[in-house]
Amino acid sequence: EDSVTELENLQLLFLTTMFEVPRSTPKPILLWDTGTISMENTVKTRKLNLAIHIKTQKEECLSKQVFDEQLRQGWPGLAKEVKEVERRAF
């Protein structure tokens, strides 16, 4: 299992335990009723926010230089992940 799946499972365990509902409770209903955002979307949101922060830095900032180079070269990393999130969103 990847990290996001493990986080999703942990979040679901926490919610079912906290609210004392059966484990068979549908996950979308549990998230909706508790106003909880899925861990997958939380991770995506934080990555996007970090990318926005990096892109607004001055040109001499190392993180901006690395991010821009990742985009130009198509290297794996935050830039590629954010590009994929944006592609799937639109």
Side-chain angles (χ1 to χ4, degrees):
E1 292 183 280
D2 64 338
S3 299
V4 175
T5 303
E6 288 183 38
L7 288 172
E8 292 279 358
N9 292 337
L10 184 60
Q11 181 184 48
L12 187 58
L13 176 64
F14 172 77
L15 291 172
T16 55
T17 302
M18 185 172 171
F19 293 107
E20 298 179 349
V21 295
R23 288 183 183 237
S24 60
T25 303
K27 182 180 176 186
I29 297 296
L30 191 55
L31 294 175
W32 176 266
D33 284 349
T34 59
T36 305
I37 298 172
S38 71
M39 291 307 293
E40 179 183 8
N41 287 335
T42 299
V43 169
K44 286 178 183 178
T45 300
R46 290 186 180 203
K47 285 181 181 182
L48 289 170
N49 285 337
L50 178 59
I52 290 168
H53 173 74
I54 290 171
K55 289 298 288 179
T56 59
Q57 298 297 306
K58 295 179 180 177
E59 291 300 322
E60 58 270 8
C61 182
L62 181 60
S63 62
K64 181 173 176 61
Q65 293 172 12
V66 170
F67 188 88
D68 290 342
E69 194 63 27
Q70 285 179 346
L71 281 175
R72 276 193 292 279
Q73 301 293 335
W75 292 337
L78 179 65
K80 190 171 187 176
E81 292 174 21
V82 167
K83 199 172 179 182
E84 181 64 23
V85 169
E86 289 175 340
R87 186 185 67 76
R88 288 184 180 188
F90 302 105

